[in-house]
Amino acid sequence: HKPLLLMDGARESPADRRYLQSYFREMADPKRYVTVPNADHYANTTEIRAVTVYDRQVLSYTLDAIDGFLRE
């Protein structure tokens, strides 16, 4: 299968993180699992009316992880 990247946020519920980690362990390679520090499920982004609010550090970490995965 094609390489797969699974990501979660460190601020997601412990039950959700355990589920994804368990699912990841059962999957065949190639795969990668990344936990984004200080992030919730949506990488600390939200919309307030027509404005998207985001956490610069969390978004940068998330995009760097995706970029690194795609470059491999």
Side-chain angles (χ1 to χ4, degrees), residues 8-12 35-44 55 58 62:
D8 64 11
R11 292 176 36 204
E12 291 191 54
T35 297
V36 180
N38 302 314
D40 62 13
H41 185 77
Y42 299 103
N44 296 3
D55 180 318
V58 168
T62 301

Side-chain angles (χ1 to χ4, degrees), residues 36 43 45 54-64:
V36 180
T45 60
Y54 64 94
D55 180 318
R56 182 181 302 254
Q57 288 179 313
V58 168
L59 194 56
S60 178
Y61 188 99
T62 301
L63 294 175
D64 287 346

Side-chain angles (χ1 to χ4, degrees), residues 10-51:
R11 292 176 36 204
E12 291 191 54
S13 78
D16 288 347
R17 293 189 58 216
R18 279 192 304 272
Y19 171 79
L20 190 59
Q21 291 165 357
S22 174
Y23 189 73
F24 175 79
R25 283 191 295 273
E26 300 299 320
M27 299 177 75
D29 287 329
K31 62 185 180 180
R32 183 186 292 175
Y33 183 92
V34 174
T35 297
V36 180
N38 302 314
D40 62 13
H41 185 77
Y42 299 103
N44 296 3
T45 60
T46 191
E47 289 189 21
I48 302 173
R49 300 186 188 214
V51 176

